[in-house]
Amino acid sequence: MKSKSIKTAFTLMLMSSMLIAGCGGNNNNNAADSTATNAPANTGNNAEASAPADEAMDTSPVTFTFFGADASPNWNKMQDDVGKVITEKTGVTLDAEFDVGSGGGDQKIAMMAASGDVPDMIFAKGNLGTLVDAGLILDLTDLIDKYAPNLKKIYGENMNRLKYSNDDQKIYSIPTNMGVDQQSFDAGGGFEIQHRVLKELGYPQVKTLADYEKVLKDYVALHPETDGQPTIPLTLNADDWKIMITVTNPAFLTTGAPDDGEYYVDPTTYEAKLHYKRPEEKEYFRWLNGMYAQGLLDKDTFVQKDDQYKAKVASGRVLGLISQEWEYQDGENALKAAGKDEYTYAHFPVTLSDQYKDHSFQTTGIDAAGISITTAAKDPVRIIKWLDWMSSEEAQILKNWGVEGKQYTVNADGKREIPADIQDRKSNDAANFAKETGIGQYNIFGAHYGDGVKDSTGNYYTTNFPEQIVASYSDAEKESLKAYNATTWKDLFPGEDAFPTKEWGALYNMPVPTDGQYQVIFKKTQDIIRKRIPEAILSKPADFDKVYDAFLAELDKAGAQDMEKEYTELVKKRVSLWTGKDL
């Protein structure tokens, strides 16, 4: 491990407290292993690129160290089926450490920046800039050009989007937390309601906040208890950074805007502002305030921890959620394992009123968190060759489908199929299945195509395509979907073609200054948001306007307007870099 100069203590304190940016989108997988759902479709065949013969990969045994900023509870130290094949084919094993809980790697990465003690590879998410500024991340530009034909083929004309910024056009990270040419076939986010609720109420309309509220209110009046415990109409997870996923970011989608982390960007002027300043969003938080006043929002929402929240979901007594499936899936998986499919959740695009459209599927192009090679790596050439192999067609099929003969078969027509017993385990014993097989555990190691893209054999790279998605649904899900005249949950949402691709991509991945005035103000505003949004929701309805308006004034007093001006310039530079516009 390589040591670098130590930043000032004050700057490091800010680094350690930096908030992970938004994790929006309708992502069905664990955040650590996910494939994002916001890129244009491409269903044509993609022949695999091959490395030059004189650049064949060394397959002698080697171990690389790695840190992942997301938790990975099903990681099995490469002793799963997929991991064993990867080691057999490449000689590589990983000495991997993942963030514990929901911290997003903030504290660990701040410590790395201070000490210079880094692993060979890192998936840093929103903290990449911290390590770049500390001089601990390698520029991958030449390595990719010389040794990574698969990476170059997959990213193609979008290589420009891999550049760090307009001012620093090096490549410090390979975006691997999304699938290239992604076509979404299903939705894993939105406003969730249990299937048992929908069935008993005759599958009512669920389009607006008023509709959603009525469903929860009507059902809890009929069933104030679930299995001997008080029924909870709605609970949210406000533990640490997950407050964004279930409390604050939904304010974007209910009011006709895309999720851009903490900012709303005017699509014409590119002016950025903290999204809480939008008048429409104030009305969303007023709705949450009303839900709390009526006893429909869990009274423990702002004091419960992540594990307590998931335990409530697993108990089956929570009627509604506002989240992404990856965020609550541990609790839902427990319900599936217990055979309580009717207690799992349907997904709806719910908006403030009929005048708004949910933007969950507005595309961002290639823009995602990814994997980096650090200055500690003794053999970066072998690492980039390994990452390139992990981006090959062979590796992508292995990572998504598993081992032929174990997790899938190939029929006489050359089509890959998942046997019914394997699909049952995959759907209803997800955690154990992932740990045993390794499927879905290695997606961040290498570039990959998204859902809807076919490989050179005419099969889909991933198992997320309509027929397979429908096959994975429980009877309860199929019954609910049929009642709403839908095949998958995506059918209920506005599709990608309803909106233009965002020229600025996914802003929660955009590098921002890791020291100086920007971070000082950002930290202040985040502290204010985390304190005042709960206060506004929990206030007496008669006091809501006073509390919310005071919150907005406090943001500006802390310097929000100066921060917004600086952020606007960063957005404009990013748009200029990616589109060539002179802004």
Side-chain angles (χ1 to χ4, degrees):
M1 304 245 176
K2 202 167 185 178
S3 178
K4 288 286 176 181
S5 61
I6 298 177
K7 295 277 188 180
T8 66
F10 178 65
T11 299
L12 289 172
M13 177 184 70
L14 291 173
M15 289 176 182
S16 68
S17 62
M18 284 177 64
L19 187 66
I20 291 179
C23 300
N26 281 281
N27 191 337
N28 297 331
N29 302 316
N30 181 279
D33 308 309
S34 61
T35 300
T37 58
N38 46 4
N42 177 355
T43 55
N45 292 348
N46 289 278
E48 177 184 357
S50 58
D54 61 345
E55 296 294 353
M57 186 173 62
D58 181 1
T59 59
S60 61
V62 66
T63 298
F64 297 129
T65 53
F66 169 78
F67 176 74
D70 278 318
S72 187
N74 300 319
W75 179 256
N76 198 16
K77 299 181 179 179
M78 297 189 74
Q79 294 307 300
D80 47 68
D81 294 334
V82 171
K84 288 177 181 178
V85 174
I86 290 171
T87 300
E88 176 189 339
K89 295 277 188 178
T90 68
V92 172
T93 57
L94 296 176
D95 179 5
E97 178 187 358
F98 295 89
D99 192 64
V100 178
S102 58
D106 290 2
Q107 294 184 0
K108 181 73 173 181
I109 291 174
M111 292 172 63
M112 290 180 184
S115 66
D117 189 13
V118 290
D120 299 320
M121 290 182 286
I122 190 164
F123 179 76
K125 287 195 75 176
N127 290 306
L128 177 62
T130 301
L131 299 173
V132 169
D133 287 355
L136 295 169
I137 301 296
L138 292 181
D139 176 12
L140 304 180
T141 306
D142 290 342
L143 288 169
I144 292 172
D145 188 54
K146 293 178 181 178
Y147 305 111
N150 290 307
L151 286 170
K152 287 196 292 184
K153 179 183 182 298
I154 291 172
Y155 293 126
E157 63 185 16
N158 291 295
M159 288 296 294
N160 207 44
R161 282 180 168 242
L162 274 62
K163 295 177 179 178
Y164 186 66
S165 69
N166 207 15
D167 297 326
D168 182 356
Q169 298 196 13
K170 296 182 177 67
I171 298 175
Y172 293 116
S173 174
I174 301 167
T176 60
N177 203 34
M178 67 167 288
V180 175
D181 293 340
Q182 171 79 21
Q183 181 181 3
S184 300
F185 294 116
D186 204 7
F191 282 60
E192 287 83 23
I193 301 175
Q194 288 182 332
H195 298 293
R196 64 174 178 135
V197 174
L198 297 171
K199 184 174 183 177
E200 179 157 343
L201 297 181
Y203 299 101
Q205 172 179 286
V206 186
K207 292 184 177 181
T208 66
L209 291 175
D211 295 337
Y212 184 76
E213 177 181 334
K214 185 176 188 303
V215 169
L216 301 185
K217 184 185 297 185
D218 289 351
Y219 191 87
V220 75
L222 296 172
H223 301 281
E225 288 190 350
T226 298
D227 296 332
Q229 293 182 290
T231 299
I232 301 172
L234 172 66
T235 194
L236 307 175
N237 187 357
D239 189 12
D240 199 29
W241 63 272
K242 287 190 175 180
I243 190 173
M244 292 188 297
I245 308 305
T246 78
V247 179
T248 61
N249 285 7
F252 279 118
L253 301 178
T254 58
T255 58
D259 179 353
D260 273 313
E262 289 297 274
Y263 295 91
Y264 169 76
V265 175
D266 185 299
T268 302
T269 66
Y270 307 107
E271 297 293 323
K273 65 181 178 182
L274 290 172
H275 67 90
Y276 311 93
K277 294 183 175 183
R278 299 173 64 228
E280 313 88 305
E281 293 199 22
K282 179 181 178 181
E283 297 312 305
Y284 174 71
F285 293 113
R286 187 193 304 278
W287 175 76
L288 284 177
N289 170 262
M291 292 290 284
Y292 181 78
Q294 296 176 74
L296 297 175
L297 176 61
D298 185 2
K299 61 181 177 60
D300 295 329
T301 284
F302 296 107
V303 295
Q304 65 189 348
K305 296 299 183 183
D306 186 65
D307 58 346
Q308 295 172 310
Y309 164 85
K310 290 178 180 177
K312 286 179 180 177
V313 174
S315 74
R317 63 193 182 106
V318 178
L319 307 181
L321 300 169
I322 305 172
S323 190
Q324 303 293 319
E325 194 166 312
W326 61 260
E327 186 273 329
Y328 63 83
Q329 68 179 15
D330 290 348
E332 188 171 57
N333 285 342
L335 291 168
K336 291 178 179 179
K340 295 183 175 182
D341 291 329
E342 70 275 17
Y343 291 81
T344 63
Y345 297 91
H347 303 275
F348 295 94
V350 172
T351 53
L352 187 64
S353 71
D354 291 335
Q355 73 180 88
Y356 299 103
K357 283 186 178 181
D358 181 294
H359 282 237
S360 292
F361 291 96
Q362 183 168 10
T363 56
T364 63
I366 293 177
D367 185 16
I371 197 162
S372 304
I373 302 175
T374 75
T375 55
K378 293 182 175 62
D379 193 351
V381 171
R382 182 155 182 191
I383 293 176
I384 199 69
K385 286 183 177 181
W386 181 72
L387 290 172
D388 192 62
W389 184 86
M390 293 290 281
S391 307
S392 68
E393 180 171 299
E394 177 185 7
Q396 289 186 63
I397 294 168
L398 173 67
K399 291 187 289 185
N400 288 318
W401 288 81
V403 179
E404 183 178 352
K406 278 193 171 183
Q407 285 84 40
Y408 73 93
T409 59
V410 179
N411 67 20
D413 295 325
K415 297 300 181 183
R416 290 193 289 271
E417 296 178 338
I418 299 176
D421 60 327
I422 300 297
Q423 184 60 59
D424 180 70
R425 284 205 61 209
K426 188 176 182 181
S427 299
N428 300 312
D429 190 19
N432 289 326
F433 181 82
K435 191 166 188 175
E436 174 188 312
T437 66
I439 292 174
Q441 301 300 298
Y442 297 89
N443 286 341
I444 59 173
F445 300 104
H448 50 95
Y449 289 108
D451 301 342
V453 183
K454 292 183 177 180
D455 62 25
S456 62
T457 71
N459 285 284
Y460 290 104
Y461 274 100
T462 79
T463 59
N464 294 321
F465 53 91
E467 296 85 353
Q468 197 61 48
I469 290 169
V470 171
S472 72
Y473 286 149
S474 66
D475 289 342
E477 281 188 284
K478 291 176 181 176
E479 189 174 351
S480 292
L481 284 162
K482 182 178 180 181
Y484 290 101
N485 297 313
T487 303
T488 71
W489 299 112
K490 166 79 180 299
D491 294 340
L492 302 180
F493 288 70
E496 292 90 341
D497 58 359
F499 315 103
T501 297
K502 289 194 292 182
E503 293 179 313
W504 51 88
L507 285 182
Y508 41 82
N509 291 318
M510 184 176 71
V512 296
T514 58
D515 53 14
Q517 189 67 9
Y518 179 90
Q519 279 301 328
V520 172
I521 298 173
F522 184 78
K523 178 64 170 60
K524 287 180 179 177
T525 57
Q526 286 299 299
D527 289 344
I528 292 167
I529 290 164
R530 290 194 180 193
K531 182 178 181 181
R532 301 305 182 195
I533 286 292
E535 282 185 1
I537 293 171
L538 301 180
S539 67
K540 295 179 180 179
D543 296 333
F544 175 82
D545 283 307
K546 179 177 66 176
V547 174
Y548 200 89
D549 293 346
F551 154 61
L552 297 182
E554 191 173 357
L555 290 176
D556 284 342
K557 186 177 179 180
Q561 291 174 321
D562 291 335
M563 181 182 71
E564 291 164 342
K565 288 178 183 178
E566 188 171 355
Y567 198 81
T568 295
E569 290 307 308
L570 293 173
V571 172
K572 289 181 177 179
K573 285 182 178 181
R574 178 175 248 218
V575 172
S576 179
L577 173 65
W578 285 4
T579 69
K581 287 185 177 181
D582 185 15
L583 298 176

PDB file of all heavy atoms in Angstrom, residues 29-55:
ATOM      1  N   ASN A  29     -31.847  -4.447  -8.109  1.00  0.00           N
ATOM      2  CA  ASN A  29     -30.826  -5.226  -7.455  1.00  0.00           C
ATOM      3  C   ASN A  29     -30.224  -4.503  -6.283  1.00  0.00           C
ATOM      4  O   ASN A  29     -30.430  -3.324  -6.076  1.00  0.00           O
ATOM      5  CB  ASN A  29     -29.720  -5.557  -8.461  1.00  0.00           C
ATOM      6  CG  ASN A  29     -30.253  -6.312  -9.649  1.00  0.00           C
ATOM      7  OD1 ASN A  29     -31.044  -7.228  -9.481  1.00  0.00           O
ATOM      8  ND2 ASN A  29     -29.862  -5.929 -10.844  1.00  0.00           N
ATOM      9  N   ASN A  30     -29.380  -5.247  -5.532  1.00  0.00           N
ATOM     10  CA  ASN A  30     -28.630  -4.629  -4.441  1.00  0.00           C
ATOM     11  C   ASN A  30     -27.790  -3.499  -4.979  1.00  0.00           C
ATOM     12  O   ASN A  30     -27.206  -3.595  -6.048  1.00  0.00           O
ATOM     13  CB  ASN A  30     -27.746  -5.696  -3.793  1.00  0.00           C
ATOM     14  CG  ASN A  30     -26.957  -5.154  -2.639  1.00  0.00           C
ATOM     15  OD1 ASN A  30     -25.924  -4.536  -2.835  1.00  0.00           O
ATOM     16  ND2 ASN A  30     -27.442  -5.385  -1.439  1.00  0.00           N
ATOM     17  N   ALA A  31     -27.697  -2.401  -4.237  1.00  0.00           N
ATOM     18  CA  ALA A  31     -26.980  -1.234  -4.731  1.00  0.00           C
ATOM     19  C   ALA A  31     -25.548  -1.552  -5.093  1.00  0.00           C
ATOM     20  O   ALA A  31     -24.974  -0.948  -5.984  1.00  0.00           O
ATOM     21  CB  ALA A  31     -27.017  -0.127  -3.687  1.00  0.00           C
ATOM     22  N   ALA A  32     -24.915  -2.488  -4.391  1.00  0.00           N
ATOM     23  CA  ALA A  32     -23.521  -2.807  -4.670  1.00  0.00           C
ATOM     24  C   ALA A  32     -23.355  -3.544  -5.985  1.00  0.00           C
ATOM     25  O   ALA A  32     -22.318  -3.489  -6.614  1.00  0.00           O
ATOM     26  CB  ALA A  32     -22.937  -3.661  -3.550  1.00  0.00           C
ATOM     27  N   ASP A  33     -24.367  -4.247  -6.442  1.00  0.00           N
ATOM     28  CA  ASP A  33     -24.232  -5.137  -7.582  1.00  0.00           C
ATOM     29  C   ASP A  33     -25.218  -4.785  -8.689  1.00  0.00           C
ATOM     30  O   ASP A  33     -25.589  -5.618  -9.497  1.00  0.00           O
ATOM     31  CB  ASP A  33     -24.485  -6.589  -7.144  1.00  0.00           C
ATOM     32  CG  ASP A  33     -23.644  -6.954  -5.953  1.00  0.00           C
ATOM     33  OD1 ASP A  33     -22.442  -6.721  -6.013  1.00  0.00           O
ATOM     34  OD2 ASP A  33     -24.209  -7.465  -4.970  1.00  0.00           O
ATOM     35  N   SER A  34     -25.654  -3.555  -8.704  1.00  0.00           N
ATOM     36  CA  SER A  34     -26.817  -3.234  -9.507  1.00  0.00           C
ATOM     37  C   SER A  34     -26.507  -2.901 -10.940  1.00  0.00           C
ATOM     38  O   SER A  34     -25.406  -2.570 -11.316  1.00  0.00           O
ATOM     39  CB  SER A  34     -27.552  -2.062  -8.871  1.00  0.00           C
ATOM     40  OG  SER A  34     -26.708  -0.957  -8.844  1.00  0.00           O
ATOM     41  N   THR A  35     -27.528  -2.973 -11.766  1.00  0.00           N
ATOM     42  CA  THR A  35     -27.514  -2.491 -13.127  1.00  0.00           C
ATOM     43  C   THR A  35     -28.571  -1.417 -13.221  1.00  0.00           C
ATOM     44  O   THR A  35     -29.736  -1.679 -13.058  1.00  0.00           O
ATOM     45  CB  THR A  35     -27.853  -3.631 -14.104  1.00  0.00           C
ATOM     46  OG1 THR A  35     -26.881  -4.658 -13.951  1.00  0.00           O
ATOM     47  CG2 THR A  35     -27.847  -3.139 -15.520  1.00  0.00           C
ATOM     48  N   ALA A  36     -28.154  -0.174 -13.493  1.00  0.00           N
ATOM     49  CA  ALA A  36     -29.103   0.925 -13.486  1.00  0.00           C
ATOM     50  C   ALA A  36     -30.079   0.786 -14.632  1.00  0.00           C
ATOM     51  O   ALA A  36     -29.873   0.030 -15.559  1.00  0.00           O
ATOM     52  CB  ALA A  36     -28.368   2.260 -13.569  1.00  0.00           C
ATOM     53  N   THR A  37     -31.142   1.557 -14.592  1.00  0.00           N
ATOM     54  CA  THR A  37     -32.212   1.365 -15.562  1.00  0.00           C
ATOM     55  C   THR A  37     -32.461   2.607 -16.394  1.00  0.00           C
ATOM     56  O   THR A  37     -33.573   2.891 -16.747  1.00  0.00           O
ATOM     57  CB  THR A  37     -33.501   1.001 -14.832  1.00  0.00           C
ATOM     58  OG1 THR A  37     -33.803   2.045 -13.918  1.00  0.00           O
ATOM     59  CG2 THR A  37     -33.380  -0.290 -14.101  1.00  0.00           C
ATOM     60  N   ASN A  38     -31.404   3.326 -16.708  1.00  0.00           N
ATOM     61  CA  ASN A  38     -31.652   4.571 -17.442  1.00  0.00           C
ATOM     62  C   ASN A  38     -30.650   4.791 -18.550  1.00  0.00           C
ATOM     63  O   ASN A  38     -29.766   5.589 -18.463  1.00  0.00           O
ATOM     64  CB  ASN A  38     -31.649   5.771 -16.490  1.00  0.00           C
ATOM     65  CG  ASN A  38     -30.475   5.730 -15.544  1.00  0.00           C
ATOM     66  OD1 ASN A  38     -29.629   4.854 -15.632  1.00  0.00           O
ATOM     67  ND2 ASN A  38     -30.406   6.692 -14.652  1.00  0.00           N
ATOM     68  N   ALA A  39     -30.801   4.037 -19.632  1.00  0.00           N
ATOM     69  CA  ALA A  39     -30.010   4.260 -20.829  1.00  0.00           C
ATOM     70  C   ALA A  39     -30.822   3.787 -22.018  1.00  0.00           C
ATOM     71  O   ALA A  39     -31.708   2.956 -21.884  1.00  0.00           O
ATOM     72  CB  ALA A  39     -28.687   3.504 -20.751  1.00  0.00           C
ATOM     73  N   PRO A  40     -30.555   4.320 -23.214  1.00  0.00           N
ATOM     74  CA  PRO A  40     -31.352   3.951 -24.379  1.00  0.00           C
ATOM     75  C   PRO A  40     -31.200   2.481 -24.749  1.00  0.00           C
ATOM     76  O   PRO A  40     -30.205   1.843 -24.436  1.00  0.00           O
ATOM     77  CB  PRO A  40     -30.798   4.871 -25.483  1.00  0.00           C
ATOM     78  CG  PRO A  40     -29.452   5.272 -25.010  1.00  0.00           C
ATOM     79  CD  PRO A  40     -29.547   5.330 -23.529  1.00  0.00           C
ATOM     80  N   ALA A  41     -32.212   1.981 -25.441  1.00  0.00           N
ATOM     81  CA  ALA A  41     -32.250   0.563 -25.772  1.00  0.00           C
ATOM     82  C   ALA A  41     -31.328   0.226 -26.927  1.00  0.00           C
ATOM     83  O   ALA A  41     -31.053   1.026 -27.798  1.00  0.00           O
ATOM     84  CB  ALA A  41     -33.683   0.164 -26.129  1.00  0.00           C
ATOM     85  N   ASN A  42     -30.856  -1.032 -26.945  1.00  0.00           N
ATOM     86  CA  ASN A  42     -30.123  -1.586 -28.068  1.00  0.00           C
ATOM     87  C   ASN A  42     -30.301  -3.080 -27.994  1.00  0.00           C
ATOM     88  O   ASN A  42     -29.703  -3.740 -27.152  1.00  0.00           O
ATOM     89  CB  ASN A  42     -28.641  -1.216 -27.977  1.00  0.00           C
ATOM     90  CG  ASN A  42     -27.822  -1.838 -29.113  1.00  0.00           C
ATOM     91  OD1 ASN A  42     -28.342  -2.616 -29.909  1.00  0.00           O
ATOM     92  ND2 ASN A  42     -26.554  -1.486 -29.178  1.00  0.00           N
ATOM     93  N   THR A  43     -31.099  -3.653 -28.846  1.00  0.00           N
ATOM     94  CA  THR A  43     -31.373  -5.084 -28.770  1.00  0.00           C
ATOM     95  C   THR A  43     -30.683  -5.848 -29.889  1.00  0.00           C
ATOM     96  O   THR A  43     -30.966  -7.004 -30.122  1.00  0.00           O
ATOM     97  CB  THR A  43     -32.888  -5.343 -28.828  1.00  0.00           C
ATOM     98  OG1 THR A  43     -33.406  -4.724 -30.008  1.00  0.00           O
ATOM     99  CG2 THR A  43     -33.586  -4.788 -27.625  1.00  0.00           C
ATOM    100  N   GLY A  44     -29.758  -5.207 -30.586  1.00  0.00           N
ATOM    101  CA  GLY A  44     -29.026  -5.906 -31.626  1.00  0.00           C
ATOM    102  C   GLY A  44     -27.945  -6.787 -31.041  1.00  0.00           C
ATOM    103  O   GLY A  44     -27.561  -6.674 -29.891  1.00  0.00           O
ATOM    104  N   ASN A  45     -27.407  -7.707 -31.864  1.00  0.00           N
ATOM    105  CA  ASN A  45     -26.335  -8.579 -31.405  1.00  0.00           C
ATOM    106  C   ASN A  45     -25.054  -7.790 -31.237  1.00  0.00           C
ATOM    107  O   ASN A  45     -24.762  -6.865 -31.989  1.00  0.00           O
ATOM    108  CB  ASN A  45     -26.106  -9.708 -32.414  1.00  0.00           C
ATOM    109  CG  ASN A  45     -27.278 -10.659 -32.465  1.00  0.00           C
ATOM    110  OD1 ASN A  45     -28.146 -10.608 -31.604  1.00  0.00           O
ATOM    111  ND2 ASN A  45     -27.318 -11.524 -33.464  1.00  0.00           N
ATOM    112  N   ASN A  46     -24.246  -8.176 -30.267  1.00  0.00           N
ATOM    113  CA  ASN A  46     -22.989  -7.503 -29.997  1.00  0.00           C
ATOM    114  C   ASN A  46     -21.878  -8.548 -29.961  1.00  0.00           C
ATOM    115  O   ASN A  46     -21.719  -9.274 -28.995  1.00  0.00           O
ATOM    116  CB  ASN A  46     -23.033  -6.778 -28.649  1.00  0.00           C
ATOM    117  CG  ASN A  46     -23.930  -5.569 -28.722  1.00  0.00           C
ATOM    118  OD1 ASN A  46     -23.537  -4.523 -29.169  1.00  0.00           O
ATOM    119  ND2 ASN A  46     -25.171  -5.749 -28.286  1.00  0.00           N
ATOM    120  N   ALA A  47     -21.106  -8.627 -31.048  1.00  0.00           N
ATOM    121  CA  ALA A  47     -19.996  -9.571 -31.081  1.00  0.00           C
ATOM    122  C   ALA A  47     -18.931  -9.144 -30.098  1.00  0.00           C
ATOM    123  O   ALA A  47     -18.629  -7.967 -29.947  1.00  0.00           O
ATOM    124  CB  ALA A  47     -19.424  -9.626 -32.491  1.00  0.00           C
ATOM    125  N   GLU A  48     -18.340 -10.117 -29.432  1.00  0.00           N
ATOM    126  CA  GLU A  48     -17.361  -9.824 -28.381  1.00  0.00           C
ATOM    127  C   GLU A  48     -16.040  -9.382 -28.985  1.00  0.00           C
ATOM    128  O   GLU A  48     -15.537  -9.954 -29.950  1.00  0.00           O
ATOM    129  CB  GLU A  48     -17.150 -11.078 -27.536  1.00  0.00           C
ATOM    130  CG  GLU A  48     -16.108 -10.920 -26.459  1.00  0.00           C
ATOM    131  CD  GLU A  48     -15.879 -12.212 -25.732  1.00  0.00           C
ATOM    132  OE1 GLU A  48     -16.580 -13.186 -26.043  1.00  0.00           O
ATOM    133  OE2 GLU A  48     -14.997 -12.250 -24.868  1.00  0.00           O
ATOM    134  N   ALA A  49     -15.451  -8.342 -28.421  1.00  0.00           N
ATOM    135  CA  ALA A  49     -14.122  -7.926 -28.829  1.00  0.00           C
ATOM    136  C   ALA A  49     -13.104  -8.892 -28.250  1.00  0.00           C
ATOM    137  O   ALA A  49     -13.313  -9.492 -27.205  1.00  0.00           O
ATOM    138  CB  ALA A  49     -13.844  -6.511 -28.335  1.00  0.00           C
ATOM    139  N   SER A  50     -11.992  -9.057 -28.921  1.00  0.00           N
ATOM    140  CA  SER A  50     -10.964  -9.957 -28.408  1.00  0.00           C
ATOM    141  C   SER A  50      -9.643  -9.216 -28.279  1.00  0.00           C
ATOM    142  O   SER A  50      -9.317  -8.352 -29.090  1.00  0.00           O
ATOM    143  CB  SER A  50     -10.793 -11.153 -29.354  1.00  0.00           C
ATOM    144  OG  SER A  50     -10.462 -10.713 -30.659  1.00  0.00           O
ATOM    145  N   ALA A  51      -8.879  -9.561 -27.246  1.00  0.00           N
ATOM    146  CA  ALA A  51      -7.592  -8.929 -27.016  1.00  0.00           C
ATOM    147  C   ALA A  51      -6.587  -9.427 -28.032  1.00  0.00           C
ATOM    148  O   ALA A  51      -6.671 -10.554 -28.518  1.00  0.00           O
ATOM    149  CB  ALA A  51      -7.116  -9.241 -25.602  1.00  0.00           C
ATOM    150  N   PRO A  52      -5.611  -8.597 -28.408  1.00  0.00           N
ATOM    151  CA  PRO A  52      -4.564  -9.031 -29.326  1.00  0.00           C
ATOM    152  C   PRO A  52      -3.845 -10.252 -28.777  1.00  0.00           C
ATOM    153  O   PRO A  52      -3.669 -10.405 -27.564  1.00  0.00           O
ATOM    154  CB  PRO A  52      -3.629  -7.813 -29.383  1.00  0.00           C
ATOM    155  CG  PRO A  52      -4.476  -6.663 -28.978  1.00  0.00           C
ATOM    156  CD  PRO A  52      -5.452  -7.210 -27.998  1.00  0.00           C
ATOM    157  N   ALA A  53      -3.399 -11.136 -29.671  1.00  0.00           N
ATOM    158  CA  ALA A  53      -2.780 -12.385 -29.238  1.00  0.00           C
ATOM    159  C   ALA A  53      -1.552 -12.141 -28.379  1.00  0.00           C
ATOM    160  O   ALA A  53      -1.263 -12.890 -27.445  1.00  0.00           O
ATOM    161  CB  ALA A  53      -2.422 -13.223 -30.462  1.00  0.00           C
ATOM    162  N   ASP A  54      -0.782 -11.074 -28.709  1.00  0.00           N
ATOM    163  CA  ASP A  54       0.436 -10.820 -27.951  1.00  0.00           C
ATOM    164  C   ASP A  54       0.163 -10.142 -26.615  1.00  0.00           C
ATOM    165  O   ASP A  54       1.072  -9.853 -25.855  1.00  0.00           O
ATOM    166  CB  ASP A  54       1.414  -9.968 -28.767  1.00  0.00           C
ATOM    167  CG  ASP A  54       0.838  -8.607 -29.138  1.00  0.00           C
ATOM    168  OD1 ASP A  54      -0.391  -8.443 -29.009  1.00  0.00           O
ATOM    169  OD2 ASP A  54       1.614  -7.736 -29.554  1.00  0.00           O
ATOM    170  N   GLU A  55      -1.110  -9.895 -26.313  1.00  0.00           N
ATOM    171  CA  GLU A  55      -1.471  -9.283 -25.044  1.00  0.00           C
ATOM    172  C   GLU A  55      -2.330 -10.240 -24.225  1.00  0.00           C
ATOM    173  O   GLU A  55      -3.209  -9.821 -23.487  1.00  0.00           O
ATOM    174  CB  GLU A  55      -2.222  -7.969 -25.282  1.00  0.00           C
ATOM    175  CG  GLU A  55      -1.408  -6.884 -25.969  1.00  0.00           C
ATOM    176  CD  GLU A  55      -0.253  -6.396 -25.125  1.00  0.00           C
ATOM    177  OE1 GLU A  55      -0.147  -6.797 -23.950  1.00  0.00           O
ATOM    178  OE2 GLU A  55       0.563  -5.619 -25.633  1.00  0.00           O
TER     179      GLU A  55
END
